[in-house]
Amino acid sequence: MPDFIYKNAIRLMRDRNAGEALRYLHGYVKENTRHAAEYGIPEQLEEIQADYDRMRDFMLDGFQDADRDKVNDRICHRLVRLFSLLRLAESKQHKSVYRDAAARTAAFTLDPSAVRQQLETFVTDLALAGLEDDAADSARKPTVAQIHQRYHYYVSVLFDAVLVSPIWDKGMEEGMTSLILSPTVEPVASLPVVSAVMLSAMNIFDPRKWMTLVSVYEKADDERLRQRALIGWLLALTDEACDFWPEVRSALSRLLADATVRREVLECQMQIFYCMDADQDKETIMREIIPNLMKGQTFRLDENGEFVEKEDDVTEDILDPDAADRKMEQMEASMRRMMNMQKAGSDIYFGGFSHMKRMSFFIPIINWFVPFYPEHPDIAGIREKTADLQLFEKLAQDAPFCDSDKYSFVLAIGNVIDKMPPAMREMMGASVSFNPGEIGSEELQSATFVRRQYLQDLYRFFRLYSSQAQFEQAFRYSGDTRLSKDRFFMVYDHVGETVGWGDTSRQLLRFLLKRKDYEHAARVAEAYRDETSPAYLLQAGHTALGSGKTVGGLSATEWFEKALRLSPDSLKAREGYARAAYAEGDYSAAADAYDALLAQDPDNENYQLLGAMSFVRSDRLEKAQPLLARLDYLHPEHLHVRRAMAWYSLYQKDFPKAEEIFREISQASEADAYDRFHLGYGLWLGGKGREAVGAFLSSGIPAEDVFSKDFPFLSAFGVTRVDVQLMLDSMKERRS
């Protein structure tokens, strides 16, 4: 279904325009009769049309009906359900995942009672098989393996059935909730079912599936179930769902009235941002950590692909006897750094395991969501080969990476286990640890850690699954780290309107500002506007300052002015105002602000540097000179001090000196594009316009915008608007 069709229909139904929505759907169904036939959509549409016509006729005939608005709402709700069925029918026609799942479940009936009985039967069969005599062990193993094979297949079909199931009713909601929460149903089955409910509701919202996730979150004792359900109802939620379904809106308000739930929602939102850092974390690890870890390897692959032990470097032992100790220290330092990244929330394993997701194991969708368990039939052969190493047991007990990566690790071991020399195999069995950071069992089982692991599983699925494009996205990556509005749940209207978000929302703002994610920070600041809070006013000011845009219609200086009116003695507000005034080009106001700050703290070098720049740009050179003289004496190589000296030289009209310093700065490794651009100013004002053209172009900065902003400065040196236009024309000609 084209996106504009979906959006138009949703808009009409959200506006309760039942008549126009009916006409719209009639037209679409007429052109897509093959899709509509599956669930009897044309017949249902005619029934709804008849009810609408009856309501309209009663109104035209003068009948008063106090419940007419409610009747219209019910018609719109029925249309939403019908529209959802139409989208599902189309998905089963055009999306391979849905089409294949529908084919596999054609003979499957999603009856919660029957499904629960079947799952309990598998558990009973396994228990009985385990009670057989040890003497019969060799004969029993195939039986146990077959039970696991059948169990896994049944769970995969159940997953598919939930994924493609049409809109649920109240009975189905209660039955599936009971099934998932049943203590007699193994997590190997209940956890994937929760994920299937989430995926189904994300793609095509269903209030009963969403309420199932809420019920599981509220009632589950198993933390893994709770956190899957939490993430599920958060990712499936949209503002439109709250607009359409009063029961969803009511449940959401009840949930968010609880401070514990609000804290978990906040943590989940922040953890999603950490997940989207996976590529950046991967680059950091590969560039700065892995090289040191590789130096300490004692095995290598020979030309035949076999592992052989490296020979000791005797020459190094003689010439540099401390080299081995240094390598060990570097390895330990690198390992500590990586563990610290993990504790801070980074996804440190994505880079190492991501390429393994192309293995055939990850073709079935169920294997992205099934928790790691050693009896999984697709890894049974590897388990037999490594039984003496107890790798599976160690992975299941204390490995701090997500289930998807545990399976990847096992599959990787399966590819090389036969090539390992005995010494390496013995070392792996005796000393390998999957928990080098020694994360305690209590933390591994905590809500925060369990949630992080599942989010990492989801990130891998939405990023790497071969058919991931057929699902509504939960993450953005590879240069686009923006959460789409319908997944950035902390800024939903119906989330933000809940009482009690004040401190929690400011925690999220602080988190985003620390990441310099001003785009999302602005959306949070606008969603939770609170001009009575000094902390909020400062955060809104810093958001506007960092983004260079207004937030909630106010500039950074305006936000800091509000903060100063509320807290006149606030040093942070005064500092923020000074920085914002400079950034916005009001150098006179910035100079006044830094003058006041320097009066309070004359030895503060930040005030001295920023104040000196403000004095220079506002042409108060006599106040700038002593500050710059001191800073240049104390920090002659400091890049910011050199920049200030270059601008001071410009304003003194010492253009050769300004050119010299700007050229020196632009060649430094820490230089940015504006340093090259400002070199152009030094050249242009010094009469070297042709060279200035090259400097401006090399910066890559859109010159027209900067010239416009800096025109008051340029005009003070005799540059006219015609001069600016001629420079821009010269740049265009040089570029062509």
Side-chain angles (χ1 to χ4, degrees):
M1 178 177 292
D3 193 49
F4 75 92
I5 296 285
Y6 170 69
K7 288 182 178 178
N8 285 340
I10 289 294
R11 176 181 54 79
L12 291 169
M13 289 180 279
R14 186 175 56 208
D15 294 342
R16 302 300 193 264
N17 191 343
E20 191 62 34
L22 276 163
R23 283 188 288 274
Y24 195 80
L25 282 177
H26 270 299
Y28 188 77
V29 167
K30 186 176 180 180
E31 294 176 4
N32 297 272
T33 53
R34 186 164 58 94
H35 300 143
E38 180 174 356
Y39 295 108
I41 289 173
E43 294 78 10
Q44 293 186 57
L45 189 57
E46 289 302 326
E47 291 177 8
I48 298 172
Q49 182 70 59
D51 290 342
Y52 176 79
D53 291 342
R54 191 176 302 112
M55 177 183 68
R56 184 181 56 190
D57 290 343
F58 281 0
M59 185 276 296
L60 292 173
D61 292 338
F63 288 99
Q64 300 300 316
D65 186 353
D67 292 331
R68 187 169 290 143
D69 286 353
K70 294 180 181 178
V71 173
N72 189 71
D73 282 350
R74 283 197 294 271
I75 288 175
C76 287
H77 287 165
R78 290 166 67 189
L79 286 172
V80 171
R81 289 179 178 276
L82 203 62
F83 188 65
S84 297
L85 288 175
L86 183 57
R87 292 184 67 206
L88 178 60
E90 287 196 349
S91 295
K92 290 162 73 171
Q93 289 285 339
H94 299 302
K95 294 182 177 181
S96 61
V97 175
Y98 273 72
R99 184 172 60 248
D100 295 346
R104 283 193 296 269
T105 59
F108 187 93
T109 301
L110 188 58
D111 177 348
S113 297
V115 170
R116 179 172 173 175
Q117 182 178 1
Q118 187 64 54
L119 292 173
E120 290 172 347
T121 299
F122 281 126
V123 174
T124 302
D125 290 346
L126 284 171
L128 291 174
L131 293 175
E132 293 181 9
D133 294 337
D134 290 340
D137 187 63
S138 59
R140 178 175 56 83
K141 280 184 178 178
T143 304
V144 171
Q146 289 169 2
I147 293 171
H148 279 298
Q149 183 73 49
R150 292 201 308 272
Y151 190 43
H152 178 71
Y153 176 75
Y154 186 84
V155 171
S156 70
V157 174
L158 173 60
F159 185 100
D160 289 339
V162 171
L163 176 65
V164 300
S165 60
I167 302 299
W168 290 358
D169 57 21
K170 183 68 174 177
M172 180 65 81
E173 174 199 332
E174 292 174 347
M176 291 302 295
T177 300
S178 177
L179 166 68
I180 293 167
L181 293 173
S182 172
T184 57
V185 173
E186 289 292 306
V188 170
S190 58
L191 290 170
V193 169
V194 171
S195 298
V197 175
M198 177 199 72
L199 287 178
S200 183
M202 281 180 69
N203 263 21
I204 302 171
F205 187 82
D206 178 345
R208 293 302 168 192
K209 287 172 186 164
W210 189 84
M211 292 297 294
T212 298
L213 294 168
V214 169
S215 296
V216 172
Y217 171 66
E218 292 184 305
K219 298 174 183 177
D221 295 322
D222 187 329
E223 197 61 58
R224 293 175 298 174
L225 274 177
R226 281 192 73 250
Q227 295 308 318
R228 283 205 186 201
L230 168 67
I231 293 166
W233 66 257
L234 283 172
L235 292 182
L237 183 68
T238 64
D239 267 332
E240 288 82 1
C242 292
D243 289 335
F244 285 136
W245 308 108
E247 62 268 40
V248 171
R249 189 163 59 249
S250 175
L252 182 64
S253 297
R254 174 176 52 77
L255 284 164
L256 297 179
D258 187 327
T260 301
V261 176
R262 291 200 301 273
R263 190 195 72 246
E264 289 202 311
V265 170
L266 170 68
E267 289 180 359
C268 185
Q269 186 74 87
M270 293 192 296
Q271 286 174 318
I272 285 175
F273 280 100
Y274 277 125
C275 285
M276 294 193 300
D277 285 341
D279 285 315
Q280 180 181 324
D281 293 337
K282 172 186 173 182
E283 291 177 8
T284 298
I285 291 169
M286 295 302 295
R287 183 178 62 252
E288 301 175 17
I289 295 176
I290 294 300
N292 285 331
L293 295 179
M294 294 302 293
K295 290 177 184 177
Q297 296 300 307
T298 58
F299 290 89
R300 64 177 177 83
L301 282 171
D302 66 8
E303 60 275 9
N304 298 317
E306 302 286 341
F307 284 96
V308 295
E309 194 164 2
K310 290 181 181 178
E311 297 179 2
D312 292 337
D313 190 338
V314 179
T315 305
E316 184 180 76
D317 290 342
I318 295 172
L319 299 178
D320 190 359
D322 297 327
D325 290 339
R326 280 201 309 277
K327 286 180 182 178
M328 185 59 67
E329 289 173 2
Q330 289 175 343
M331 278 184 61
E332 291 173 353
S334 295
M335 185 61 71
R336 281 195 301 272
R337 182 181 176 189
M338 194 156 62
M339 293 305 101
N340 289 336
M341 287 176 65
Q342 182 185 33
K343 289 177 182 177
S346 296
D347 186 353
I348 64 173
Y349 298 110
F350 176 77
F353 288 117
S354 58
H355 66 282
M356 300 179 189
K357 308 305 180 187
R358 301 187 188 96
M359 295 179 176
S360 60
F361 176 88
F362 291 105
I363 294 176
I365 191 172
I366 182 67
N367 283 341
W368 292 87
F369 298 100
V370 69
F372 180 81
Y373 68 110
E375 297 81 14
H376 191 302
D378 292 350
I379 57 174
I382 302 173
R383 189 186 184 196
E384 288 183 9
K385 291 181 179 180
T386 60
D388 59 315
L389 305 179
Q390 295 188 315
L391 292 179
F392 282 51
E393 290 72 14
K394 293 176 182 177
L395 277 168
Q397 288 171 6
D398 66 354
F401 37 92
C402 64
D403 290 315
S404 177
D405 287 352
K406 290 177 184 178
Y407 283 118
S408 293
F409 178 83
V410 166
L411 295 167
I413 289 294
N415 287 337
V416 300
I417 191 68
D418 294 332
K419 299 176 182 179
M420 283 186 181
M424 188 175 184
R425 187 183 177 103
E426 182 180 349
M427 181 183 69
M428 177 176 287
S431 61
V432 69
S433 171
F434 296 113
N435 190 3
E438 297 182 354
I439 300 173
S441 59
E442 185 175 340
E443 183 178 352
L444 286 171
Q445 296 168 15
S446 69
T448 300
F449 203 89
V450 170
R451 189 187 319 112
R452 180 194 302 167
Q453 287 187 307
Y454 181 54
L455 282 170
Q456 290 175 359
D457 277 323
L458 288 181
Y459 184 79
R460 283 147 179 72
F461 170 76
F462 284 110
R463 175 74 186 273
L464 302 171
Y465 178 51
S466 58
S467 300
Q468 51 85 15
Q470 298 180 28
F471 293 90
E472 290 292 318
Q473 264 293 342
F475 305 92
R476 292 290 180 268
Y477 44 82
S478 294
D480 183 7
T481 58
R482 295 169 296 171
L483 285 176
S484 58
K485 185 179 187 300
D486 59 341
R487 302 302 172 210
F488 190 19
F489 43 80
M490 280 290 290
V491 299
Y492 292 176
D493 293 339
H494 295 283
V495 172
E497 68 187 12
T498 307
V499 175
W501 272 115
D503 290 340
T504 309
S505 64
R506 286 191 286 276
Q507 287 181 55
L508 180 58
L509 258 176
R510 186 162 54 248
F511 168 79
L512 293 169
L513 287 171
K514 187 176 180 180
R515 294 165 57 86
K516 294 182 171 51
D517 187 347
Y518 302 113
E519 179 187 349
H520 288 105
R523 289 168 62 184
V524 174
E526 290 170 352
Y528 298 93
R529 190 163 184 154
D530 180 10
E531 296 188 21
T532 65
S533 165
Y536 169 84
L537 293 173
L538 291 175
Q539 289 179 325
H542 284 295
T543 301
L545 177 60
S547 66
K549 301 176 182 177
T550 60
V551 172
L554 298 178
S555 66
T557 52
E558 290 172 319
W559 281 113
F560 288 120
E561 283 173 342
K562 283 179 175 288
L564 283 168
R565 283 196 292 271
L566 199 63
S567 306
D569 298 327
S570 170
L571 185 62
K572 290 183 178 179
R574 199 165 296 281
E575 289 176 343
Y577 175 80
R579 287 183 57 204
Y582 186 90
E584 292 172 13
D586 191 348
Y587 303 119
S588 181
D592 291 341
Y594 279 116
D595 207 13
L597 288 168
L598 282 165
Q600 287 181 260
D601 187 0
D603 295 326
N604 187 309
E605 291 190 349
N606 279 329
Y607 294 168
Q608 291 173 6
L609 178 59
L610 296 170
M613 280 296 296
S614 300
F615 294 140
V616 168
R617 296 303 301 267
S618 60
D619 207 12
R620 305 183 199 178
L621 301 184
E622 73 287 349
K623 291 188 72 72
Q625 194 278 329
L627 295 173
L628 288 175
R630 181 178 184 277
L631 290 168
D632 192 40
Y633 175 76
L634 294 174
H635 308 287
E637 303 300 325
H638 196 288
L639 207 60
H640 290 315
V641 174
R642 301 302 293 156
R643 288 184 178 117
M645 293 299 297
W647 279 101
Y648 180 74
S649 299
L650 266 185
Y651 273 84
Q652 280 196 315
K653 299 186 179 179
D654 187 350
F655 302 123
K657 184 66 174 177
E659 177 193 340
E660 176 189 340
I661 301 175
F662 274 131
R663 195 176 295 280
E664 169 197 327
I665 295 170
S666 66
Q667 293 172 352
S669 58
E670 304 93 336
D672 60 28
Y674 278 98
D675 291 319
R676 291 188 290 276
F677 193 92
H678 293 150
L679 170 61
Y681 280 164
L683 292 164
W684 189 10
L685 299 178
K688 300 180 180 179
R690 296 182 188 281
E691 291 183 53
V693 171
F696 290 137
L697 288 172
S698 69
S699 72
I701 293 173
E704 189 168 359
D705 295 338
V706 183
F707 289 162
S708 178
K709 180 184 175 183
D710 286 349
F711 187 72
F713 154 72
L714 293 170
S715 63
F717 291 89
V719 176
T720 67
R721 294 196 181 277
V722 172
D723 294 331
V724 170
Q725 193 56 52
L726 290 170
M727 177 58 72
L728 290 170
D729 188 60
S730 299
M731 292 171 64
K732 289 179 183 177
E733 193 170 286
R734 178 83 63 88
R735 191 184 293 116
S736 61

